[in-house]
Amino acid sequence: VSVVLCSFNQFYKLNPDIWRLWMQILARTGPNSVLWMLEFDGDAVNSLVEEAVMAGVDSWRIIVTSLLPLNREFLSKGICDLYLDTPLFNAHTTAKDALWSGVPVLTLAGEGMASRVAASLTLMLDPAAITLARNMHDYLELGVKIASSSTTLARLKKSVRERRWTSEVFNTLGWMARWQRQLHNVADMVAAGYFPPAHMHLFGGSTRDSS
């Protein structure tokens, strides 16, 4: 095996469209690629493997393991090459964990907040990230292109590992201070008789009402 694709999202974030797309990525990247997932539901695992075989992907290429011990989680996940996100309901904490482990995240932003978190984290880490797809077809082509190039994978992983030390994504104290400041701003507006804004920007923008 030369390429380890992974997704550690819970299974309720999956839908048939993204599973078929993942199987196409595996099919087009050849037998040297595998998909690693965590076992949240044994019955669901059996169904997913059956669907993989029906799509022409050998069952051994779907690797499902038990949940990882916390003291080994980041080290273990760091062996992966590319995290495949679920567009319907993005990875949240899991995407952040993947990035901290040095693994680039392939994602697609949807309309609602729950389907935009991984995209936001990816762009915060690298505004020029190439792993943010524009649509499902783009997601497929990016997945195949990135997973097929050891040079691209190595460059992306190196970039993630270097940027994580200085990125605002992992600046918890800084984020907390900005959030606290905005809450004070809202409280001051309410006390002065104004409605709080519809959108609050913690990074790269000012508080504004875009309703």
Side-chain angles (χ1 to χ4, degrees):
V1 174
S2 58
V3 179
V4 179
L5 307 174
C6 66
S7 182
F8 302 125
N9 285 352
Q10 294 202 47
F11 293 157
Y12 69 82
K13 295 186 177 184
L14 291 172
N15 65 2
D17 289 340
I18 195 62
W19 185 254
R20 283 192 292 267
L21 191 147
W22 288 354
M23 295 307 99
Q24 291 180 58
I25 293 175
L26 285 174
R28 290 175 56 182
T29 52
N32 289 329
S33 62
V34 297
L35 174 61
W36 178 18
M37 306 176 71
L38 297 180
E39 184 174 3
F40 295 103
D41 183 321
D43 291 336
V45 169
N46 294 333
S47 298
L48 290 172
V49 172
E50 288 178 6
E51 290 292 331
V53 172
M54 290 175 60
V57 175
D58 291 331
S59 59
W60 63 266
R61 297 177 66 193
I62 310 299
I63 299 172
V64 183
T65 62
S66 302
L67 299 180
L68 300 169
L70 289 178
N71 63 340
R72 292 173 47 201
E73 183 172 2
F74 292 112
L75 181 62
S76 299
K77 290 180 177 178
I79 70 170
C80 299
D81 295 297
L82 183 64
Y83 190 101
L84 301 181
D85 191 26
T86 44
L88 181 67
F89 196 134
N90 279 188
H92 292 188
T93 303
T94 311
K96 201 169 183 179
D97 289 349
L99 293 171
W100 184 250
S101 299
V103 181
V105 176
L106 176 62
T107 187
L108 169 64
E111 294 296 326
M113 185 279 289
S115 60
R116 302 180 69 84
V117 173
S120 295
L121 293 171
T122 296
L123 286 175
M124 280 183 67
L125 186 73
D126 181 3
I130 66 168
T131 56
L132 181 59
R134 295 167 295 179
N135 50 52
M136 292 292 276
H137 176 73
D138 193 37
Y139 184 113
L140 170 62
E141 295 303 322
L142 276 174
V144 172
K145 180 179 180 180
I146 294 170
S148 299
S149 171
S150 58
T151 302
T152 301
L153 284 171
R155 176 170 54 83
L156 286 174
K157 293 184 74 173
K158 181 175 184 291
S159 175
V160 170
R161 288 174 177 171
E162 290 176 348
R163 289 174 181 271
R164 63 184 172 174
W165 299 110
T166 56
S167 172
E168 290 292 343
V169 172
F170 302 106
N171 182 4
T172 304
L173 292 178
W175 189 97
M176 190 169 61
R178 289 181 176 89
W179 177 241
Q180 186 178 40
R181 188 161 57 245
Q182 290 290 39
L183 289 178
H184 281 297
N185 289 340
V186 170
D188 289 342
M189 290 178 188
V190 173
Y194 296 100
F195 287 107
H199 295 275
M200 294 168 55
H201 297 264
L202 299 186
F203 301 94
S206 59
T207 302
R208 64 183 177 86
D209 187 347
S210 60
S211 59

